[in-house]
Amino acid sequence: METPQKAPEASEKKVLFSGIQPTGIITLGNYIGALKNWVALQDEYDCVYCVVDMHAITVRQDPANLRKNTLELLALYLACGIDPEKCLLFVQSHVPAHAELCWVLNCLTSVGELSRMTQFKDKSRKHADNVNMGLMDYPVLMVADILLYQAALVPVGADQKQHLELTRDLAIRFNNRYSPTFTVPEPYIPRQGARIMSLQDPSAKMSKSDPDENGFVAMTDPPEVIARKFKRAVTDSLACVKAGEDRPGVTNLMSIYAAFTGRTFGQIEDEFAGRGYGDFKAAVADAVIAALSPIQAEQKRLLADKAYLHGILAEGAQKAARLANKTLAKVYKKTGFYQL
Ligand code: TYM
């Protein structure tokens, strides 16, 4: 089925780009830090949302799972409220320009810049048996993703801040060395919820690769699992719902509650004044379940219609390639590649 996706070039709005890796588990952190804001920004910007499968293979993936997870992530984007009539949706590996621009940018990036990246250092430690070149080069591919579409805004969680700084540096470096070519993008990191922490260790980021499943809530967790994970969430012994730097567990739960209820920390403190953590955790779980249940049902419904999803991706790949190739052609020309 044809879906009328709009191409960013057709309007005056600024372009927004973002992506998530199709690595199976998508967490509440991905939702609050990124996806939820993508939905909120889709009217204001010309949005390009990508399923970044090439980033996913920096860590070993089972091919059949990667294929399945790619379609599931597209269905999740849609189920969360991303409108394919307003946004351009596609899979990264369908547009060869991403890898092509990455190569040119590699030649402008120093090894030192990449080896200093926090995520590279973390992931190298976690996957010590597979510290591949892709893992190190990952941020440059991300830079290519963003710059190809001349994005002005990139909504991400706080863990991507360093990669956005590299994006700005490389855009400026290329523009200065050759001539103005790339839009220098701004990160959009929400003031609240940009770093949702593990429910078991509130000093660590909530992560899908956490070996302790109680540390994260997956977007596909059923209600009873969500309720159980919040019930077991680590807090402290003060038994008082109040935010503070010295109270990371409670503050994290408050951030999650705030994201789903729209309430401020002050309002949450008033709501639970004199009440214990049991009540509070149950309320957080209820708010999360109420938000995720319809998303889960919609994702399931969409996954039953593969032809519809394929249609979106086929059209998205075509439109994305057209935009990306326009930028790539300029880059190749300025770089000095012989033109036919
Ligand atoms: P990824 O797939 O690890 O995560 C997707 C998005 O979720 C955010 N996020 C979080 N936000 C708040 N709290 C958390 N605990 C949390 N965990 C993850 C991430 O910041 C991210 O916004 N490199 C990117 C994907 C990417 C990309 C891009 C993003 C590739 N190309 C171009 C923007 C633009 C990544 O690995 O995200």
Side-chain angles (χ1 to χ4, degrees), residues 114-167:
L114 296 182
S115 60
R116 280 194 295 273
M117 289 282 163
T118 312
Q119 260 201 4
F120 171 65
K121 287 194 273 188
D122 283 355
K123 287 196 179 176
S124 308
R125 237 175 281 128
K126 256 192 212 153
H127 305 278
D129 59 334
N130 185 20
V131 185
N132 60 73
M133 282 307 298
L135 199 61
M136 189 172 183
D137 200 31
Y138 176 112
V140 184
L141 181 59
M142 180 165 163
V143 173
D145 296 343
I146 297 165
L147 298 187
L148 275 175
Y149 300 90
Q150 306 290 354
L153 198 73
V154 184
V156 283
D159 61 341
Q160 300 298 320
K161 189 166 176 261
Q162 223 180 15
H163 297 162
L164 260 297
E165 280 159 10
L166 179 73
T167 309

Side-chain angles (χ1 to χ4, degrees), residues 15-18 48 97-98 101-102 104-106 108-109 139-154 163-175 181-186 323-328 330-331:
V15 178
L16 176 155
F17 184 98
S18 202
V48 184
H98 290 248
L101 179 60
C102 178
V104 175
L105 296 172
N106 275 336
L108 292 180
T109 311
V140 184
L141 181 59
M142 180 165 163
V143 173
D145 296 343
I146 297 165
L147 298 187
L148 275 175
Y149 300 90
Q150 306 290 354
L153 198 73
V154 184
H163 297 162
L164 260 297
E165 280 159 10
L166 179 73
T167 309
R168 291 174 57 85
D169 286 349
L170 287 181
I172 293 168
R173 200 171 298 167
F174 189 96
N175 289 350
T181 309
F182 295 123
T183 303
V184 182
E186 296 287 339
L323 293 170
N325 287 338
K326 218 165 112 182
T327 302
L328 188 70
K330 282 189 205 159
V331 169

Side-chain angles (χ1 to χ4, degrees), residues 102-264:
C102 178
W103 179 255
V104 175
L105 296 172
N106 275 336
C107 301
L108 292 180
T109 311
S110 74
V111 171
E113 277 178 304
L114 296 182
S115 60
R116 280 194 295 273
M117 289 282 163
T118 312
Q119 260 201 4
F120 171 65
K121 287 194 273 188
D122 283 355
K123 287 196 179 176
S124 308
R125 237 175 281 128
K126 256 192 212 153
H127 305 278
D129 59 334
N130 185 20
V131 185
N132 60 73
M133 282 307 298
L135 199 61
M136 189 172 183
D137 200 31
Y138 176 112
V140 184
L141 181 59
M142 180 165 163
V143 173
D145 296 343
I146 297 165
L147 298 187
L148 275 175
Y149 300 90
Q150 306 290 354
L153 198 73
V154 184
V156 283
D159 61 341
Q160 300 298 320
K161 189 166 176 261
Q162 223 180 15
H163 297 162
L164 260 297
E165 280 159 10
L166 179 73
T167 309
R168 291 174 57 85
D169 286 349
L170 287 181
I172 293 168
R173 200 171 298 167
F174 189 96
N175 289 350
N176 286 345
R177 186 162 308 176
Y178 300 98
S179 61
T181 309
F182 295 123
T183 303
V184 182
E186 296 287 339
Y188 176 99
I189 297 173
R191 238 179 314 126
Q192 240 179 37
R195 196 171 163 81
I196 298 297
M197 309 310 277
S198 157
L199 299 184
Q200 287 302 307
D201 173 8
S203 68
K205 186 185 77 167
M206 180 181 283
S207 162
K208 54 195 157 202
S209 54
D210 191 336
D212 182 354
E213 288 198 357
N214 287 319
F216 61 82
V217 172
M219 291 300 284
T220 48
D221 276 346
E224 62 280 8
V225 173
I226 297 176
R228 194 189 68 223
K229 287 180 176 177
F230 279 111
K231 203 168 175 183
R232 291 189 185 165
V234 169
T235 46
D236 51 42
S237 55
L238 296 175
C240 152
V241 178
K242 205 165 171 46
E245 266 177 39
D246 52 337
R247 313 192 57 200
V250 176
T251 308
N252 188 41
L253 294 178
M254 288 174 75
S255 294
I256 295 172
Y257 193 61
F260 288 104
T261 59
R263 282 171 217 165
T264 62

